[in-house]
Amino acid sequence: MAKVDTSSSRPYHIVIFGASGFTGQFVVEEVARIVSEGPNGTLKWAVAGRSRQKLDKVLEQAAGALGKPELRTEVEVIVADVGEPDSLAAMCKQAVIVLNCVGPYRFWGEPVVKACVENRAHCIDICGEPQFLESMQLNYNSQAADEGVYIVGACGFDSIPADMGVLYTREQFKGTLTAVESFLTASTGPEGGSINDGTWKSAIYGFADSGKLRSLRKKFGHKPLPVVGSKIKRRYRELALFYSNEVQQYAVPFMGADPSVVKRSQRFLLEEHQETPVQYGAYAGVGGVANIVKMLLAGMMFWFLVKFDFGRNLLIKFPEFFSFGFFSKDGPTRKQMEGSSFQFAFYGEGYTEGQDPSQGQPNAKIRTLVQGPEAGYVATPIAMVQAAITILNEPTALPKKGGVYTPGATFARTTLVERLNKHGIQFSVI
């Protein structure tokens, strides 16, 4: 049995590891905003990382941004390094939950998972790298179960909106939902927008190692999930580009972790709760012709260069050039973040109550939305922190045993969606 111990045996409910990183700084601010939502109305927390000086600076920055001068003196600082296992163990022993913000996870994530499992700290990350997420499940699920520890990956924009969005759509559907397609669109304000190059690096190494992901998946020995109802149809042909009437713009298959995360959640819910698996297709809007030209040029350069060491080095060194400014070493400014937002539109189909999904075509449809603020550094901290708050406050609604889980598997029986609604990530039926 898994256990979430919020008593005084561990000094901190939450420790933010990698708090001085680009994303980590915004996770710090989000935790500082919601301390009253912790167990019994209080939250004990600390920040951790390699440099005490940088961590102090992040707390100073958060104190100024939020008008909370007490952060400078009341939040403890823990020095820990992924290259020093003893320091990770000492950190994990002090935490109920570790929020791991140190990426790319394929390089730095496993030592944190290992330390959390061995020292019985639950762990949440914001990884969007399927190879890391699935290798952690393969290598640590059994041990995490034995220790009663929850290791929950992909708890940021990758992939809480998609994974919980599919579950929300199924809950709202009156009958048996059998297939969902999602269409992601994002908008920026007059200041524009960009993404920190940490995400760019993760994509580079992910595509370079795509063959390893295929071989990794074979080790699970999974049988294909049963197809209930009509088989979902692929929207595109050779170029992986099509015009979507749903979002009134050109779209491409979504290249992130969402499809694999959703599939893992559906497998868990089938095996553990005998729920009908939902087929899932994920797409992203890319806008008009000018954006398509940029995307094709960037895509061709990326696909060529990512195959070679020298090419990967060039991509890493010059993210703005090779992504036409979409990624940058500096990331977005606060003004850019304030003007940005995202929207997932989910289109589902299935069979009304009393209809047999094995007979005939689906006879009912549903449309839902998940929308929220800037995806990478506003919505991601909100999602990550609310995932942690849910674990702390709703332990009896979580899976009975520990393990390496997806958000959908972990939070299907909780009020995470309601919590997100209160914090600006809105789930609704259209």
Side-chain angles (χ1 to χ4, degrees):
M1 291 286 290
K3 184 180 181 183
V4 181
D5 183 8
T6 58
S7 67
S8 60
S9 61
R10 295 192 177 220
Y12 308 113
H13 295 121
I14 288 173
V15 171
I16 306 166
F17 183 52
S20 60
F22 191 84
T23 307
Q25 65 183 319
F26 298 112
V27 175
V28 168
E29 292 181 15
E30 186 60 27
V31 169
R33 287 187 188 99
I34 57 83
V35 289
S36 63
E37 297 177 29
N40 301 315
T42 60
L43 189 73
K44 298 174 289 184
W45 63 290
V47 296
R50 290 183 298 174
S51 167
R52 179 176 291 275
Q53 184 178 4
K54 288 182 179 179
L55 293 167
D56 286 338
K57 185 177 178 182
V58 164
L59 291 173
E60 178 76 27
Q61 177 182 294
L66 301 176
K68 291 177 174 279
E70 67 273 13
L71 296 178
R72 299 182 181 99
T73 54
E74 293 183 3
V75 179
E76 292 296 324
V77 171
I78 300 169
V79 177
D81 189 329
V82 289
E84 298 175 4
D86 289 347
S87 71
L88 290 181
M91 174 187 73
C92 292
K93 286 173 182 174
Q94 299 179 71
V96 177
I97 304 175
V98 172
L99 303 188
N100 183 17
C101 302
V102 180
Y105 289 90
R106 67 178 56 247
F107 298 130
W108 315 117
E110 184 168 359
V112 181
V113 171
K114 185 173 186 291
C116 284
V117 171
E118 291 177 350
N119 295 282
R120 297 185 177 178
H122 308 291
C123 182
I124 290 174
D125 71 44
I126 46 176
C127 178
E129 306 162 44
Q131 185 178 337
F132 172 79
L133 295 166
E134 294 179 40
S135 66
M136 292 303 97
Q137 182 182 358
L138 184 70
N139 297 330
Y140 290 93
N141 186 64
S142 178
Q143 189 180 353
D146 291 342
E147 298 294 344
V149 169
Y150 297 114
I151 306 295
V152 192
C155 284
F157 178 71
D158 291 315
S159 292
I160 277 183
D163 204 13
M164 300 307 295
V166 171
L167 298 189
Y168 174 80
T169 304
R170 180 166 61 188
E171 284 180 10
Q172 301 303 313
F173 188 78
K174 295 181 177 10
T176 303
L177 186 71
T178 58
V180 172
E181 292 179 308
S182 69
F183 295 83
L184 168 65
T185 53
S187 62
T188 57
E191 299 283 331
S194 69
I195 299 176
N196 179 259
D197 70 336
T199 303
W200 175 251
K201 290 175 184 175
S202 296
I204 291 167
Y205 293 117
F207 282 106
D209 282 350
S210 57
K212 293 180 181 177
L213 178 57
R214 286 189 290 271
S215 62
L216 169 68
R217 286 174 172 164
K218 291 179 182 177
K219 295 178 182 178
F220 283 96
H222 288 319
K223 294 179 181 178
L225 284 174
V227 174
V228 179
S230 300
K231 187 172 182 179
I232 198 168
K233 293 179 181 178
R234 195 169 71 172
R235 290 291 192 111
Y236 57 91
R237 295 184 180 178
E238 290 78 12
L239 282 176
L241 177 70
F242 65 97
Y243 187 81
S244 165
N245 290 319
E246 290 83 359
V247 291
Q248 294 291 300
Q249 59 182 271
Y250 286 94
V252 295
F254 183 72
M255 304 300 287
D258 291 353
S260 66
V261 171
V262 169
K263 191 172 185 178
R264 289 170 57 212
S265 292
Q266 294 302 312
R267 184 177 296 280
F268 173 85
L269 294 170
L270 170 66
E271 294 175 351
E272 296 296 320
H273 301 292
Q274 294 72 54
E275 294 186 5
T276 302
V278 177
Q279 302 171 70
Y280 179 59
Y283 302 99
V286 294
V289 175
N291 284 350
I292 291 170
V293 172
K294 286 182 182 180
M295 185 191 72
L296 290 174
L297 288 173
M300 286 189 289
M301 288 190 291
F302 186 92
W303 282 111
F304 173 74
L305 292 171
V306 80
K307 297 174 183 176
F308 310 102
D309 285 339
F310 82 90
R312 290 192 288 274
N313 289 334
L314 282 174
L315 290 169
I316 289 168
K317 192 171 182 180
F318 303 107
E320 288 186 74
F321 175 79
F322 287 109
S323 70
F324 288 91
F326 194 65
F327 294 91
S328 72
K329 291 182 182 292
D330 295 330
T333 64
R334 287 183 183 260
K335 275 195 173 181
Q336 287 176 323
M337 289 160 53
E338 288 169 6
S340 299
S341 62
F342 77 88
Q343 177 175 285
F344 270 101
F346 294 86
Y347 291 79
E349 65 177 24
Y351 298 79
T352 53
E353 293 172 349
Q355 295 294 312
D356 185 352
S358 66
Q359 303 292 323
Q361 297 294 313
N363 68 340
K365 297 183 184 242
I366 185 172
R367 183 187 172 198
T368 61
L369 286 179
V370 178
Q371 52 194 334
E374 190 276 336
Y377 314 104
V378 182
T380 284
I382 290 170
M384 184 186 214
V385 172
Q386 287 305 312
I389 290 296
T390 303
I391 289 176
L392 290 170
N393 286 308
E394 302 180 45
T396 59
L398 303 173
K400 291 181 180 178
K401 63 181 182 179
V404 179
Y405 292 119
T406 60
T410 310
F411 301 115
R413 303 290 188 269
T414 70
T415 65
L416 176 59
V417 167
E418 288 82 354
R419 292 175 186 275
L420 293 171
N421 272 326
K422 292 176 183 177
H423 288 272
I425 299 178
Q426 302 288 330
F427 292 68
S428 60
V429 179
I430 300 302

